[in-house]
């Protein structure tokens, strides 16, 4: 089989740069509105009641900016990482059906180096704005703000250990992503099955590392925002959200490439399998969501239920609409739309659902982070939209660059023929 190269036109690249430019303009406009103390960007004065007791004051524009940078970077880093995870799962499962689309998840992880740099910089400069536990006085017994619960977690939640963990995560993720990519490219050049068997071994090691780091990074980057609260299911919950978003991104990319005349050998059978993945793991995400919610709801212990109260009735009901929208967009919509066999084979249906899921799970991360950081100062204004557009533009630039680096079809993969003749 001949290789198939993706060519990204200057026009397409310019669209991505335009997206970033629009994002920057909106972001600056939002900052000016907030700095002026009025306009659409400013929301109800925060820092009252429980928030004030926890040492929260009305959020400044810098705090809102840092929280948004963190939110978007965690979201897109997760999607990039899922690219490597998807490929590793296919190798370990000896999967044949996915060979034709394998290069798409493989290119997602080109964002990881950007994600690593942004994550480190935002934490170094904005850590105090995002994480309550970073304040030194919480650990000083003689200080009036001393917090024995947070002080008890200082063995794990301390500045240097946090930074070292972050660097280790990205070093491992980027290292294994590049390693798998290199083996796949060598297979294209030289053929044979050696590279395939080596990739299986690499993938098996990566999956063990991913199993640990996907949970610990979720504790570090998301769970520790609400420092007092804990959930033994949280690693799974963040993974489920990342995984569904990653599957949606892969499926949407396959459809867009197919509609632009690429991936000629991909047919409705491959789309059907991708649709089954998206359908099944939307239900899996809901299962994790419900299991976590139900346990806290029926136990009704104040220090546990506070997390959901803040998202439902607390904070003046500020987040309640997102709480319910989250369930509708991320569960009800994919469940009802993709239930039939035909829907999973139709590009238009898959396109609608995958775009909705990608937006829905961005809101899922929004709901995980905003109540613990910005409280009632959180909004959905120019700053949020601007930051999201900038990250989306950068992500698409790195992703499409990755796609152009090599053939879209792994020409010497031993299971290529099986994928071409795949039928479900």
């Amino acid at each position: 089989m001949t290789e198939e190269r993706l060519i990204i036109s200057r026009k397409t690249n310019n669209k991505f740069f335009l997206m970033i430019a629009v994002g920057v303009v909106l972001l600056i406009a939002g900052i000016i509105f907030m700095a002026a103390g009025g306009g659409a960007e400013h929301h109800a004065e925060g820092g009252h009641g429980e928030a004030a007791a926890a040492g929260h004051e009305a959020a400044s524009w810098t705090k809102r900016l840092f929280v948004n940078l963190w939110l978007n970077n965690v979201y897109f880093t997760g999607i990039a990482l899922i690219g490597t995870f998807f490929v590793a799962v296919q190798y370990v499962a000896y999967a044949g059906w996915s060979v034709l689309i394998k290069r798409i998840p493989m290119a997602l992880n080109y964002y990881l180096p950007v994600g690593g740099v942004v994550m480190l910089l935002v934490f170094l400069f904005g850590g105090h704005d995002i994480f309550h536990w970073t304040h030194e006085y919480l650990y000083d017994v003689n200080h009036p703000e001393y917090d024995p619960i947070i002080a008890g977690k200082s063995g794990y939640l301390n500045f240097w250990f946090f930074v070292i963990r972050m660097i280790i995560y990205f070093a491992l993720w980027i290292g294994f992503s590049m390693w798998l990519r290199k083996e796949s490219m060598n297979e294209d050049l030289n053929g044979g099955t050696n590279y395939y068997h080596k990739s299986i071994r690499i993938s098996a090691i990566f999956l063990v590392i991913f199993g640990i780091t996907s949970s610990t990074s979720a504790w570090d980057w998301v769970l520790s925002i609400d420092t007092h609260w804990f959930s033994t299911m949280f690693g799974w919950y963040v993974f489920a959200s990342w995984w569904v978003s990653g599957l949606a991104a892969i499926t949407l990319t396959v459809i867009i490439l197919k509609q632009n005349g690429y991936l000629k050998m991909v047919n409705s059978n491959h789309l059907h399998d991708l649709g089954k993945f998206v359908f099944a793991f939307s239900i899996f995400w809901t299962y994790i969501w419900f299991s976590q919610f139900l346990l806290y709801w029926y136990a009704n212990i104040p220090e546990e239920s506070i997390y959901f109260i803040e998202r439902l009735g607390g904070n003046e009901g500020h987040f309640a609409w997102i709480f319910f929208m989250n369930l509708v967009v991320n569960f009800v919509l994919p469940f009802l739309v993709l239930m039939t066999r035909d829907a999973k084979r139709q590009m238009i249906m898959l396109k609608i659902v995958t775009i909705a899921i990608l937006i829905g799970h961005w809101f899922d991360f929004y709901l995980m982070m905003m109540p613990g950081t910005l409280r009632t100062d959180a909004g959905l204004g120019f700053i949020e939209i601007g930051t999201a557009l900038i990250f989306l533009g950068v992500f698409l630039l790195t992703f499409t660059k990755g796609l152009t680096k090599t053939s879209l079809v792994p020409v010497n993969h031993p299971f290529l023929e099986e994928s071409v003749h795949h039928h479900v």
Side-chain angles (χ1 to χ4, degrees):
M1 179 172 285
T2 54
E3 61 172 44
E4 192 176 358
R5 289 270 177 178
L6 173 68
I7 296 155
I8 296 289
S9 66
R10 181 168 286 182
K11 189 179 165 191
T12 307
N13 257 339
N14 287 345
K15 279 181 187 169
F16 299 153
F17 283 115
L18 180 65
M19 193 183 287
I20 296 168
V22 171
V24 171
V25 170
L26 287 174
L27 182 59
I28 293 168
I31 289 169
I32 291 168
F33 275 130
M34 265 196 90
E41 285 303 295
H42 195 72
H43 288 264
E45 286 300 316
H48 44 74
E50 228 175 3
H56 290 271
E57 61 286 332
S60 60
W61 68 264
T62 48
K63 177 168 183 166
R64 189 159 168 185
L65 174 65
F66 281 129
V67 173
N68 272 290
L69 291 171
W70 192 260
L71 158 68
N72 284 286
N73 200 42
V74 168
Y75 175 72
F76 283 108
T77 296
I79 291 176
L81 176 61
I82 288 302
T84 310
F85 175 72
F86 183 92
V87 172
V89 167
Q90 303 307 312
Y91 273 125
V92 171
Y94 287 83
W97 72 273
S98 58
V99 173
L100 283 171
I101 60 147
K102 193 185 75 166
R103 288 283 156 83
I104 289 150
M106 226 167 215
L108 280 173
N109 55 44
Y110 271 81
Y111 177 79
L112 284 175
V114 180
V117 172
V118 173
M119 199 80 80
L120 191 58
L121 290 175
V122 174
F123 181 69
L124 292 177
F125 291 104
H128 284 331
D129 286 326
I130 305 166
F131 299 102
H132 185 52
W133 61 262
T134 56
H135 296 281
E136 297 292 327
Y137 57 75
L138 296 168
Y139 306 92
D140 180 2
V141 186
N142 302 315
H143 196 281
E145 295 270 355
Y146 171 70
D147 190 320
I149 294 174
I150 295 177
K153 299 184 180 188
S154 62
Y156 186 80
L157 287 181
N158 62 75
F159 178 83
W160 284 111
F161 192 25
F162 188 93
V163 170
I164 289 164
R165 282 199 303 275
M166 186 190 290
I167 292 167
I168 290 170
Y169 299 153
F170 278 101
L172 286 168
W173 296 343
I174 294 166
F176 275 89
S177 300
M178 288 171 71
W179 198 2
L180 278 172
R181 208 183 297 144
K182 192 182 97 196
E183 293 303 318
S184 188
M185 286 178 177
N186 285 340
E187 182 183 73
D188 273 8
L189 294 170
N190 307 317
T193 56
N194 286 342
Y195 300 108
Y196 177 71
H197 291 298
K198 192 175 173 188
S199 295
I200 292 171
R201 292 194 293 274
I202 296 166
S203 298
I205 300 164
F206 172 76
L207 289 177
V208 174
I209 290 167
F210 176 85
I212 298 162
T213 55
S214 63
S215 277
T216 52
S217 61
W219 304 338
D220 288 359
W221 301 342
V222 189
L223 182 59
S224 76
I225 288 171
D226 295 274
T227 319
H228 278 202
W229 189 73
F230 58 89
S231 164
T232 51
M233 295 183 71
F234 203 81
W236 277 107
Y237 181 73
V238 171
F239 161 71
S241 202
W242 271 347
W243 180 223
V244 175
S245 308
L247 289 169
I250 293 163
T251 309
L252 184 59
T253 309
V254 169
I255 291 167
I256 291 168
L257 287 173
K258 186 99 181 115
Q259 287 177 338
N260 282 287
Y262 294 97
L263 299 176
K264 294 179 185 66
M265 307 301 288
V266 171
N267 56 41
S268 55
N269 295 294
H270 302 95
L271 291 176
H272 189 173
D273 273 349
L274 287 167
K276 282 189 280 193
F277 261 119
V278 172
F279 176 73
F281 284 101
S282 292
I283 297 170
F284 173 74
W285 171 84
T286 316
Y287 157 69
I288 301 287
W289 183 96
F290 184 72
S291 302
Q292 182 172 268
F293 179 78
L294 189 73
L295 289 169
Y296 290 130
W297 178 75
Y298 74 62
N300 205 15
I301 300 167
E303 63 265 31
E304 292 180 351
S305 57
I306 180 76
Y307 184 83
F308 291 102
I309 289 165
E310 282 184 344
R311 283 152 181 79
L312 268 167
N315 286 320
E316 302 164 10
H318 203 75
F319 300 99
W321 69 275
I322 299 177
F323 187 87
F324 293 107
M325 184 197 79
N326 198 15
L327 284 173
V328 172
V329 175
N330 295 328
F331 169 61
V332 178
L333 180 81
F335 182 71
L336 294 178
V337 175
L338 292 182
M339 196 181 283
T340 64
R341 182 178 192 266
D342 283 349
K344 296 187 198 73
R345 300 169 79 89
Q346 285 176 359
M347 287 193 195
I348 184 68
M349 290 298 191
L350 286 170
K351 218 171 177 180
I352 291 165
V353 170
T354 50
I355 291 168
I357 282 174
L358 287 165
I359 295 168
H361 280 284
W362 183 90
F363 274 104
D364 189 21
F365 278 95
Y366 180 97
L367 196 61
M368 286 186 235
M369 294 186 193
M370 291 296 174
T373 50
L374 297 176
R375 312 272 161 176
T376 50
D377 287 338
L380 202 62
F382 290 159
I383 291 181
E384 282 69 25
I385 297 164
T387 317
L389 281 175
I390 293 167
F391 273 89
L392 179 60
V394 172
F395 185 85
L396 290 172
L397 280 171
T398 55
F399 177 37
T400 49
K401 186 182 170 219
L403 284 172
T404 57
K405 281 282 174 74
T406 181
S407 166
L408 285 176
V409 177
V411 284
N412 286 322
H413 194 289
F415 289 172
L416 182 60
E417 282 301 307
E418 184 181 331
S419 189
V420 170
H421 300 293
H422 176 57
H423 180 76
V424 281

